[in-house]
Amino acid sequence: MERYPGLTPIPERIRRLEELACDLWWSWHYRARDLFRRLDYRLWRETAHNPVRMLRLLGRDRLERAAEDRGFLAMYDSVVHDLDLAGSAKNTWWSQRYGPAAKGAKVAYFSAEFALHQSLPLYAGGLGVLAGDTCKEASDLGVPLVGIGFMYPQGYFHQHVSADGWQQEAYERLDWLDAPIEPAMRADGAPCVVAVALGDRTVLAAVWVVRAGRVKLLLLDTDLPENAPWDRELSARLYGGNQETRIQQEIVLGLGGVRALRALDIEPTIWHLNEGHAAFVVLQRVRDALEQNLPFEQAVAEVRRTTVFTTHTPVPAGHDAFPFHLVETYLAGAWGSLGQLRNQFLALGAYDNGDGNGQMFNMTALAMRSAGAVNAVSQLHRDVTRQMWTPIWPGAKPGEEPVRDITNGVHVPTWVASELSKLFEAHIAPDWRQRHDDEQMWDAMEAIPDEELWAVRQALRNYLFAFIRERARNRWIEERVGPGQIVTAGTLLNPDALTIGFARRFAAYKRPELLFHDPDRLARILSAAREPVQIVYAGKSHPADDSGKHHLQRIYKRAMDQGFGGRIAFIDDYDLHVAHFMVQGCDVWLNTPRKPLEASGTSGMKAAVNGVPHLSIGDGWWAEGYNGANGWLIDGKCESLDPAEVDAADADALYRLLETEVVPTFYDRDAHGLPRAWLRLVRESIRTVIPRFSARRMVKQYVESMYGPVFGGE
Ligand SMILES: *Cc1c(COP(=O)(O)O)cnc(C)c1O
């Protein structure tokens, strides 16, 4: 298939622009980003940084001029050179660590979501961001990993918020011509298509491939003309529809994923299930092992030896569980050699989570019972997981259930602003990226002069405001929204005022409204004459979650409320693009979950690595990340079981921190206009969070503690 049909080919001298645009490697290398920005700044912005689309829209005359522009060519040559170096590197962390011992090792990483870049919107929230960051880091470290997920041609909705604050969803079809994906081809040159039995029928799934440096991601897509209309829709949307859709999606992901790997001659040695959605991988693999004439117990033991599982949520409703009759219906055609043994297989997933529904087929239980290594995503979450799932390990002593903790991390080259990167290059080490999980190296943060650090922080805040204003202007021009909505979009914000960011999916457990517990007290904080404070909110609600939408609506109405003086903004259509501007440009990142329901949380890490200190409940990663000097801990110290009392105490603690610490420290300037104490916080945030909460530390930990033992590394 041709990506740019009908267009003159890209000039020979710069023809590898297409290859660069189609390899998401560019997205975490700022010189590559600069190259596309320079190619056409207006299109770069209009396409929200989508070079594949840019190359389709760009006039060929513009490309011809670029092919003769000496400055552009020098950049191009250097970026292409870096891409080749990255592709051919023999000397990676992985090869040094494991050498020939791990030859042939391959990790298949299954996830229902992958968030690599906004031009490929295959995610809903944090789970996807984690999977995307894991792929990028695996590429950087040379870990032989292949991702498997779904393509979701209509997976993503754009959020519009109406004048009365109600979220509207506009689904956008993902056009492969505008996305960095291509059909996966089999060795014989035919497009890869796999068949999966669903009940009494067979569904076909096409396989797409995404390049992210050394890592490839395979995406299943049931939207094929050979399928019945309802089957074509199966992979249309992420977590679409009801339980019936969901179980069918999960069968396609699990069974179809294993088949796609096989069709492409990929033989994984490790199978990593990121959350329970892909646990049907186990069914296909047990079945395959039986076909090798292994008895059932041995087949399960072999699968267990090579399977690892990461659980992500302490919220019981966040774990998929299906009634057995649904499982019977949709797996009817899938048993094959497992036919006689299917009760034994079903027992692996049987679980009563105490919600009154009795025994269900629980995907997390299936994954836990068939994985040799299970991990939670923070220390606190490990303890909660052990308690939550004790029946899975009947013999284990309390507190010794086999769940380890590998705290999430964020991909630092993706999330750190390039302005800060340049400071690190100049003052920490030119090769800081290669060593950024080295804690000692970051002691050199002291070497960055206050003036320079503050100048970068101010510049990043200004970029955020330029972005906010530009969006508001577009809404005004294109959607003709009213003046109230233009204020809500952030046009009255002051680019010099202390700016608090709160952005994540709207879910009740995240307590998005905690800050409004005492509206008058908040209004006083926001509109202090000399020391004003403002808040920028963003986040989507799941389309079916009315409670989340009501939270969003109430926040929106606060932003509209004159009593808050236009100092509260709601940025619509939160995605990776908005997230970048916000985590880099705010001054403080606010996080108020109901403890212990935030398993880890990652947006606070993204902010902290940019010198945006975290102001958070001691839940998830912050329970281990806070050191007394790198941000603030909101702790209402309320032992009550009544959530309303806990909320009141936490809100009071939050106001107190704002009034006595956050605001005064930010506005305390010396004779040069520098907030010295604030900059100590900024430094301490970067120094402590980059090495410990990087995806680099996390992926190394996965390799060493979960994968290593399997391929006999050690
Ligand atoms: C990081 C991120 C998230 C996750 O944020 P949490 O604070 O962990 O909930 C969700 N959505 C987007 C777009 C993100 O970038």
Side-chain angles (χ1 to χ4, degrees):
M1 283 199 252
E2 202 195 337
R3 184 174 290 277
Y4 301 114
L7 291 176
T8 324
I10 295 169
E12 185 59 22
R13 178 67 179 81
I14 52 173
R15 93 192 134 76
R16 293 185 68 193
L17 275 181
E18 179 175 345
E19 181 190 336
L20 258 181
C22 293
D23 185 335
L24 285 169
W25 176 91
W26 72 261
S27 69
W28 72 93
H29 291 85
Y30 71 82
R31 286 181 232 281
R33 292 200 296 268
D34 287 348
L35 182 73
F36 289 114
R37 185 184 293 117
R38 172 158 178 167
L39 183 60
D40 193 303
Y41 183 59
R42 190 180 55 86
L43 269 184
W44 171 253
R45 290 184 63 164
E46 280 179 11
T47 62
H49 309 178
N50 179 349
V52 175
R53 187 166 161 78
M54 276 177 75
L55 289 181
R56 196 148 77 82
L57 299 177
L58 203 60
R60 265 21 195 180
D61 53 331
R62 180 75 197 83
L63 282 169
E64 270 151 31
R65 260 183 289 137
E68 282 166 9
D69 171 346
R70 298 258 282 293
F72 181 82
L73 290 178
M75 275 172 97
Y76 169 84
D77 290 339
S78 133
V79 169
V80 167
H81 177 71
D82 286 351
L83 177 69
D84 287 339
L85 276 186
S88 63
K90 300 271 181 292
N91 221 3
T92 62
W93 171 80
W94 166 269
S95 66
Q96 287 173 358
R97 179 83 174 72
Y98 293 101
K103 209 166 165 50
K106 191 94 199 169
V107 180
Y109 183 89
F110 281 78
S111 179
E113 301 182 29
F114 285 92
L116 286 152
H117 188 257
Q118 58 262 17
S119 59
L120 195 62
L122 311 174
Y123 63 93
L127 181 71
V129 177
L130 181 84
D133 280 8
T134 298
C135 290
K136 292 173 184 171
E137 192 58 57
S139 169
D140 291 347
L141 291 172
V143 179
L145 182 140
V146 57
I148 298 105
F150 267 125
M151 146 88 163
Y152 305 120
Q154 312 167 24
Y156 203 69
F157 68 86
H158 288 286
Q159 176 195 53
H160 296 268
V161 182
S162 64
D164 67 350
W166 197 249
Q167 168 177 299
Q168 324 273 325
E169 295 103 27
Y171 285 89
E172 181 188 34
R173 223 191 133 71
L174 180 65
D175 183 345
W176 85 273
L177 291 175
D178 282 340
I181 55 176
E182 29 194 305
M185 295 296 178
R186 291 195 326 218
D188 63 7
C192 181
V193 176
V194 296
V196 179
L198 270 185
D200 54 6
R201 59 193 208 277
T202 298
V203 174
L204 300 181
V207 185
W208 298 86
V209 62
V210 179
R211 287 168 210 283
R214 285 185 274 251
V215 162
K216 278 187 191 157
L217 174 56
L218 305 177
L219 304 174
L220 303 171
D221 176 9
T222 63
D223 186 13
L224 285 175
E226 295 87 338
N227 286 333
W230 47 90
D231 289 335
R232 295 184 72 158
E233 291 279 304
L234 262 187
S235 72
R237 289 181 191 179
L238 180 58
Y239 311 138
N242 51 20
Q243 278 210 314
E244 305 221 355
T245 309
R246 191 118 167 175
I247 189 171
Q248 295 181 73
Q249 286 187 328
E250 295 186 359
I251 292 171
V252 173
L253 179 59
L255 276 57
V258 178
R259 283 167 201 196
L261 289 164
R262 205 178 297 140
L264 295 168
D265 302 318
I266 300 170
E267 287 178 32
T269 42
I270 315 255
W271 302 73
H272 188 157
L273 310 177
N274 186 42
E275 194 60 305
H277 310 121
F280 283 127
V281 163
V282 171
L283 188 157
Q284 181 67 47
R285 292 194 59 222
V286 170
R287 213 186 117 169
D288 291 350
L290 292 176
E291 270 147 34
Q292 310 287 318
N293 292 321
L294 288 184
F296 183 76
E297 279 72 25
Q298 246 174 295
V300 173
E302 175 55 20
V303 168
R304 195 176 283 138
R305 192 180 67 77
T306 49
T307 301
V308 306
F309 172 57
T310 304
T311 179
H312 285 269
T313 174
V315 182
H319 298 264
D320 278 328
F322 301 109
F324 280 95
H325 70 85
L326 273 191
V327 182
E328 286 284 348
T329 304
Y330 289 107
L331 284 182
W335 295 112
S337 49
L338 253 174
Q340 302 297 318
L341 300 160
R342 64 181 212 246
N343 287 339
Q344 276 161 278
F345 178 82
L346 290 173
L348 290 172
Y351 194 78
D352 181 352
N353 72 0
D355 63 1
N357 286 322
Q359 295 259 327
M360 303 268 275
F361 189 81
N362 186 303
M363 297 297 279
T364 302
L366 170 64
M368 285 190 172
R369 290 192 183 115
S370 29
V374 174
N375 78 292
V377 294
S378 69
Q379 291 169 8
L380 190 62
H381 179 227
R382 172 201 59 202
D383 298 342
V384 174
T385 302
R386 285 175 171 165
Q387 282 169 22
M388 208 173 147
W389 298 92
T390 41
I392 296 280
W393 308 281
K397 286 207 201 105
E400 291 182 8
E401 295 86 355
V403 179
R404 44 191 115 185
D405 54 285
I406 298 183
T407 303
N408 285 344
V410 295
H411 185 247
V412 169
T414 294
W415 291 103
V416 165
S418 54
E419 288 72 10
L420 264 180
S421 280
K422 288 171 193 165
L423 273 193
F424 299 160
E425 276 172 25
H427 297 284
I428 308 254
D431 66 339
W432 71 270
R433 273 184 209 76
Q434 275 70 52
R435 304 191 276 137
H436 70 259
D437 58 337
D438 172 353
E439 292 187 31
Q440 254 110 58
M441 182 181 76
W442 292 97
D443 290 345
M445 275 307 290
E446 291 304 320
I448 302 183
D450 276 349
E451 292 75 8
E452 292 185 35
L453 192 56
W454 185 235
V456 167
R457 289 289 339 135
Q458 302 265 65
L460 295 176
R461 184 169 349 89
N462 279 310
Y463 294 153
L464 170 65
F465 286 107
F467 173 77
I468 286 177
R469 229 172 283 130
E470 181 84 3
R471 275 219 162 182
R473 194 187 317 281
N474 287 339
R475 297 283 179 269
W476 175 248
I477 298 171
E478 285 160 20
E479 292 166 31
R480 310 197 164 233
V481 299
Q485 284 184 279
I486 293 302
V487 168
T488 312
T491 36
L492 290 185
L493 297 180
N494 171 354
D496 294 318
L498 170 63
T499 304
I500 299 174
F502 183 105
R504 46 186 59 85
R505 284 184 78 77
F506 274 87
Y509 81 86
K510 294 184 186 260
R511 292 193 293 181
E513 293 180 80
L514 190 74
L515 195 52
F516 294 95
H517 197 267
D518 180 346
D520 296 333
R521 191 165 171 190
L522 178 65
R524 282 195 298 277
I525 295 173
L526 298 192
S527 43
R530 279 177 192 279
E531 303 186 341
V533 177
Q534 51 202 11
I535 312 164
V536 180
Y537 277 95
K540 292 175 174 174
S541 174
H542 187 284
D545 176 11
D546 272 0
S547 127
K549 288 188 185 180
H550 279 114
H551 281 293
L552 193 160
Q553 181 174 43
R554 286 190 294 266
I555 299 276
Y556 199 84
K557 291 195 162 157
R558 300 289 192 187
M560 283 267 192
D561 180 347
Q562 277 91 350
F564 292 106
R567 298 186 200 275
I568 299 172
F570 186 91
I571 312 302
D572 59 6
D573 209 18
Y574 184 51
D575 68 352
L576 289 176
H577 193 49
V578 177
H580 265 93
F581 282 98
M582 286 189 65
V583 299
Q584 296 175 359
C586 291
D587 295 297
V588 176
W589 201 255
L590 178 66
N591 182 42
T592 52
R594 188 178 300 292
K595 194 171 172 177
L597 297 182
E598 187 65 271
S600 166
T602 52
S603 63
M605 300 175 188
K606 300 170 198 165
V609 300
N610 282 292
V612 177
H614 204 207
L615 169 59
S616 171
I617 300 283
D619 197 10
W621 77 281
W622 197 232
E624 61 202 84
Y626 175 64
N627 75 351
N630 60 353
W632 302 272
L633 183 71
I634 307 167
D635 185 359
K637 298 201 170 66
C638 175
E639 302 289 326
S640 166
L641 292 178
D642 177 358
E645 286 178 28
V646 176
D647 288 354
D650 285 348
D652 182 56
L654 169 56
Y655 295 132
R656 205 135 16 89
L657 279 172
L658 286 171
E659 291 157 351
T660 62
E661 297 195 29
V662 181
V663 180
T665 313
F666 182 82
Y667 285 108
D668 178 13
R669 307 292 162 94
D670 74 357
H672 304 282
L674 291 169
R676 301 278 181 189
W678 186 265
L679 290 168
R680 277 201 292 282
L681 276 158
V682 169
R683 266 203 192 79
E684 189 64 1
S685 167
I686 295 174
R687 185 185 76 79
T688 56
V689 178
I690 288 191
R692 284 183 54 208
F693 298 96
S694 60
R696 174 151 299 206
R697 185 274 305 147
M698 171 185 74
V699 171
K700 285 185 177 177
Q701 237 180 319
Y702 274 110
V703 171
E704 289 173 346
S705 75
M706 309 270 279
Y707 308 162
V710 182
F711 55 72
E714 57 217 66

